[in-house]
Amino acid sequence: MDGTQRTLLITLTGRDRPGVTSRLFSTLAGFPLIVADVEQVVIRGRLILGVLMSYGSGVDIGQVWSAAEKVASDLDMEIELATGSAKKVAPKRRGGLHVTVLGAPLRPAAISGIAGRIAANGANIDRIERLSHYPVTSIEMDVSGADPDTLRAALAIEAAEQQVDVAVQRAGLHRRAKRLIVMDVDSTLIQGEVIELLAEHAGYKDEIAKITQAAMRGELDFEGSLRERVALLAGVDASAIDDVRERLVLSSGARTLVRTLKRLDYKFAIVSGGFTQVTDALVDDLGIDYSAANTLEIVDGALTGRIVGPVIDRAGKAAALARFAAEAGIPISQTVAIGDGANDLDMLQAAGLGIAYNAKPVVRQAADTAVNVPYLDSILFMLGISRDEIEAADAEDVQPA
């Protein structure tokens, strides 16, 4: 043996069925080969199996070829074989980053643009996997050889051009570790703004809505604008809060998101510039672990137009994130913050991953990534959780009649 290590790449392609991998490796087991790498993917019932073997000069590669071709013939599959040589078989490159792409729909031009940006940054796509095909199509790429900040900036530009959502995260075991998710409430966990629903009872709906939108865009000081809006609620009967609770509508996919994360032992928290009289009901309904919100003052069965205690504003949300993480024993680097307004900015920037959800432009620009589809459970795909995993967990919870 001359010390030179040779390689044989076998690629099988054809209809997927049980036993293909076992049959091929059972045949290869009859030869003095070493497995250097294996890749397998199934797309709409069609299997692509690639096996890289290394061997020494004493191996009759012709016999290996014949045996592998017989396996392909028996299975009615196509086979490709290629040989090479190297002093050392290069180890498989692990993706240092996960690049997740969401689209509704996801078009070829978007994949082309994203892949082109990755290549232009001197990086390599090692693996691509589909995470979901509804309610959005999402794929995840394992990428190596890129600086995360540089690549994130480049892909953000491409995502805007292609009208898709892209997230860039570091790979590693921490991604599947226990995490804390902290989410805004109004226009994020639920549809609409609670204070605007209360405003209908005071007759100031339009006035309050205008102030709310300006505050969410970052044009007004949040605490000052909140106190101004709450003052307009003075005299409203406290029963209006019950009416608002009954009218709450969760964002599409909210229950799936919370249910799935709880199954994975994530901690889930909400932090709101809204009011505890409403968020407490969400905590009970969804089994939320932690919450922080403002409290409306009620005297003699009516709103006074004042707030009890300090206001949960932009800084208050970030402080709540830190407090929840400390209580859960989870480092800030393992937290995910989700929000849509300017008062969420400090929280999004403090978290390990900040996600702007159908957010105002100033928030999208500052967050690590943005989700611009109206399905809250799409955030699961950003975390590397596939639709198949979600549905499998749901099926396990169905009890037989």
Side-chain angles (χ1 to χ4, degrees):
M1 191 168 174
D2 61 12
T4 299
Q5 193 171 50
R6 295 171 171 81
T7 61
L8 170 65
L9 176 61
I10 301 171
T11 305
L12 278 177
T13 307
R15 182 176 62 84
D16 186 33
R17 75 203 75 179
V20 173
T21 304
S22 173
R23 174 68 185 278
L24 177 61
F25 277 95
S26 294
T27 297
L28 297 177
F31 302 92
L33 305 170
I34 297 173
V35 178
D37 198 0
V38 181
E39 291 280 356
Q40 179 172 310
V41 64
V42 177
I43 303 176
R44 296 186 68 86
R46 189 165 181 83
L47 170 73
I48 303 172
L49 171 62
V51 179
L52 181 66
M53 313 295 297
S54 63
Y55 61 96
S57 57
V59 175
D60 186 341
I61 201 62
Q63 292 183 5
V64 179
W65 278 30
S66 296
E69 287 173 337
K70 185 176 188 308
V71 170
S73 177
D74 291 346
L75 296 173
D76 193 25
M77 301 182 77
E78 298 175 5
I79 186 169
E80 293 183 11
L81 302 108
T83 58
S85 63
K87 293 297 181 182
K88 181 179 181 181
V89 176
K92 180 180 179 180
R93 297 206 300 172
R94 296 293 178 186
L97 301 171
H98 295 300
V99 175
T100 312
V101 184
L102 275 65
L106 184 58
R107 302 188 186 281
I111 303 299
S112 173
I114 296 297
R117 296 272 186 174
I118 291 172
N121 276 267
N124 186 66
I125 301 173
D126 300 325
R127 183 172 178 269
I128 301 177
E129 177 185 12
R130 188 191 73 180
L131 294 177
S132 70
H133 63 282
Y134 78 91
V136 299
T137 301
S138 61
I139 63 168
E140 185 169 89
M141 303 177 181
D142 290 352
V143 175
S144 58
D147 173 75
D149 293 334
T150 302
L151 185 62
R152 185 178 292 113
L155 294 186
I157 296 172
E158 190 65 33
E161 292 180 1
Q162 300 293 342
Q163 296 186 316
V164 296
D165 300 329
V166 178
V168 178
Q169 302 171 70
R170 291 187 182 276
L173 291 176
H174 73 277
R175 195 177 189 217
R176 288 287 186 168
K178 185 178 180 182
R179 277 184 167 186
L180 168 68
I181 310 294
V182 181
M183 178 177 291
D184 175 44
V185 176
D186 290 7
S187 298
T188 305
L189 182 65
I190 65 171
Q191 298 179 25
E193 301 281 332
V194 166
I195 196 167
E196 293 177 13
L197 295 176
L198 287 170
E200 293 180 12
H201 293 267
Y204 289 109
K205 180 180 178 181
D206 291 342
E207 292 90 332
I208 286 180
K210 290 178 182 178
I211 299 172
T212 298
Q213 290 304 309
M216 291 301 99
R217 291 192 298 266
E219 298 169 2
L220 299 175
D221 170 70
F222 180 80
E223 180 175 350
S225 69
L226 179 64
R227 292 189 185 279
E228 179 183 355
R229 286 173 285 164
V230 170
L232 295 174
L233 302 178
V236 171
D237 194 282
S239 63
I241 296 173
D242 297 328
D243 174 68
V244 168
R245 280 197 294 257
E246 292 177 0
R247 294 171 61 190
L248 288 183
V249 177
L250 292 172
S251 295
S252 178
R255 288 190 184 278
T256 300
L257 173 70
V258 178
R259 180 176 68 246
T260 302
L261 292 174
K262 297 288 287 181
R263 283 171 174 160
L264 294 172
D265 199 30
Y266 283 57
K267 294 296 183 181
F268 195 92
I270 54 176
V271 58
S272 175
F275 312 110
T276 58
Q277 286 90 345
V278 173
T279 58
D280 286 350
L282 294 170
V283 169
D284 293 339
D285 181 27
L286 296 173
I288 292 170
D289 298 293
Y290 309 102
S291 69
N294 301 300
T295 299
L296 293 168
E297 184 180 62
I298 300 175
V299 175
D300 296 330
L303 304 184
T304 66
R306 295 187 294 270
I307 293 171
V308 179
V311 167
I312 301 295
D313 57 4
R314 177 170 168 171
K317 286 192 171 188
L321 167 72
R323 184 171 69 254
F324 298 153
E327 291 180 22
I330 295 173
I332 290 293
S333 62
Q334 290 300 109
T335 63
V336 179
I338 305 160
D340 75 308
N343 64 324
D344 297 313
L345 281 171
D346 289 3
M347 175 178 74
L348 295 178
Q349 293 171 342
L353 176 66
I355 300 176
Y357 178 72
N358 291 317
K360 309 301 182 290
V362 65
V363 182
R364 291 200 302 269
Q365 293 167 9
D368 295 314
T369 189
V371 172
N372 296 303
V373 294
Y375 310 106
L376 199 55
D377 51 342
S378 295
I379 289 170
L380 293 170
F381 311 139
M382 291 294 191
L383 302 177
I385 301 166
S386 73
R387 173 59 65 184
D388 288 344
E389 291 174 308
I390 297 168
E391 293 181 349
D394 286 342
E396 289 176 2
D397 276 359
V398 175
Q399 300 297 320

